[in-house]
Amino acid sequence: MAIERTFSIIKPDATRRNLTGKINAVFEEAGLRVVAQKRIQMTTAQAESFYGVHSARGFFRDLVNFMTSGPVVVQVLEGENAVARNRELMGATDPSKADAGTIRALFAENIEANSVHGSDSPENAAIEIAYFFAGLEIVG
């Protein structure tokens, strides 16, 4: 199994409810390590750029407004098959369809306020990590 890195965001709905530690406990108990982390207030320009792939979709403006509505925790997770493992741990985007014990089943408020974001591929993980972190900020 390959050790890799993935990108994770703990979204405003979760930071507002002080769930950062509980969410990271799920990652850590599953063998992922937090190797970089910072709490930020995403600007509109940052959110529009980061989620630019969705700019033509009807939910884009709501997504940008949500992601800028409060602090988020951006982080880099490392471990065996980290991208796939993180996506398993997050659960389905719609928390009503997420498997029991997943982060979204445990903590999400609804399909939009679903507590976490995670990269969907190693290639996107590298892009997303570089968007928020300089190489020296990642400490394995």
Side-chain angles (χ1 to χ4, degrees), residues 22-68:
K22 288 179 181 179
I23 290 170
N24 279 335
V26 173
F27 292 139
E28 291 175 339
E29 289 168 13
L32 295 176
R33 294 179 43 218
V34 178
V35 295
Q37 180 183 74
K38 53 187 161 184
R39 184 181 184 95
I40 64 169
Q41 177 71 49
M42 209 181 289
T43 66
T44 298
Q46 282 177 314
E48 287 173 345
S49 177
F50 185 78
Y51 289 106
V53 66
H54 301 301
S55 63
R57 295 189 161 165
F59 63 82
F60 178 71
R61 186 56 40 209
D62 288 340
L63 175 61
V64 169
N65 289 339
F66 171 64
M67 291 303 292
T68 59

Side-chain angles (χ1 to χ4, degrees), residues 7 50 117-120 123-133:
F7 180 72
F50 185 78
H117 161 88
S119 300
D120 63 2
E123 296 78 19
N124 282 339
I127 292 165
E128 292 177 345
I129 289 167
Y131 190 84
F132 288 100
F133 292 95

Side-chain angles (χ1 to χ4, degrees), residues 71-105:
V72 299
V73 175
V74 293
Q75 54 192 12
V76 180
L77 305 175
E78 182 180 81
E80 288 187 12
N81 295 313
V83 173
R85 188 72 182 122
N86 181 35
R87 294 193 66 79
E88 275 177 40
L89 294 169
M90 288 190 308
T93 303
D94 181 346
S96 70
K97 297 177 182 172
D99 291 340
T102 62
I103 292 167
R104 290 177 173 147

Side-chain angles (χ1 to χ4, degrees), residues 110-121:
N110 55 57
I111 195 167
E112 293 170 348
N114 62 16
S115 298
V116 287
H117 161 88
S119 300
D120 63 2
S121 69

